[in-house]
Amino acid sequence: MSSGSLPLISRFAALLAALGCWATAWVPISSTRPDAPFTIEYGLFDHQIDNPMAIVLAATWLVTLLAGLAWLPGAPRWWPFVALAAVAVQIATAILHALPTGVFWDGMDEFGNPTGGYEEILPATGWWLLVLATALMLLAALVPLVRRRRAPRGR
């Protein structure tokens, strides 16, 4: 490892964190229960008024930018601190999507009788990908900080 560059484990952890966030474009983060009468799934690109995916998209771009900076030769000394800020945003995002929300729906059956109900939206497989990406980014941020702390100081 050259001086000024991040450890290889930090670089790969940041890269895997970014890939984990982008995987939520295809894997839903939130979904209705499997026994619900219909399925609602929210992923990375599902932007609706009642769906807080904009913060997920912003956090994904932040993690991607940091993953790219990690691979630059002579990565900035402030990189781990910004990565820790990204971890805080990711934790807020994970908490936001861990809280159950719901959707009220209504309609009519074939006889004209009113129907309706409430469907609870819970974390899905993509939520676990976000949690894994958060843990990987935390690892990527802590390794250089621990190495700096343990490095012998020159006089």
Side-chain angles (χ1 to χ4, degrees):
M1 176 178 100
S2 65
S3 68
S5 66
L6 291 173
L8 197 56
I9 190 167
S10 290
R11 294 174 181 196
F12 276 110
L15 180 65
L16 290 173
L19 291 175
C21 289
W22 282 108
T24 59
W26 297 278
V27 181
I29 297 170
S30 302
S31 180
T32 53
R33 293 185 324 267
D35 61 342
F38 57 88
T39 303
I40 299 173
E41 294 181 337
Y42 294 123
L44 183 62
F45 296 118
D46 296 320
H47 297 285
Q48 297 176 357
I49 302 285
D50 60 345
N51 183 13
M53 286 297 161
I55 190 171
V56 177
L57 190 57
T60 298
W61 278 111
L62 177 62
V63 168
T64 302
L65 176 67
L66 286 171
L69 286 175
W71 285 91
L72 291 176
R77 291 186 56 83
W78 48 261
W79 187 91
F81 301 105
V82 177
L84 286 175
V87 167
V89 171
Q90 287 179 289
I91 288 172
T93 301
I95 290 172
L96 178 69
H97 289 282
L99 301 173
T101 59
V103 173
F104 287 101
W105 59 277
D106 62 355
M108 290 190 177
D109 64 10
E110 63 272 6
F111 303 109
N113 298 322
T115 61
Y118 176 80
E119 293 305 323
E120 192 172 33
I121 298 175
L122 302 169
T125 308
W127 184 81
W128 290 104
L129 282 173
L130 288 179
V131 170
L132 178 63
T134 302
L136 285 167
M137 189 53 88
L138 182 63
L139 173 72
L142 291 180
V143 167
L145 292 176
V146 169
R147 281 198 174 180
R148 267 190 224 154
R149 179 94 172 135
R150 290 186 178 178
R153 302 199 192 276
R155 292 181 187 220

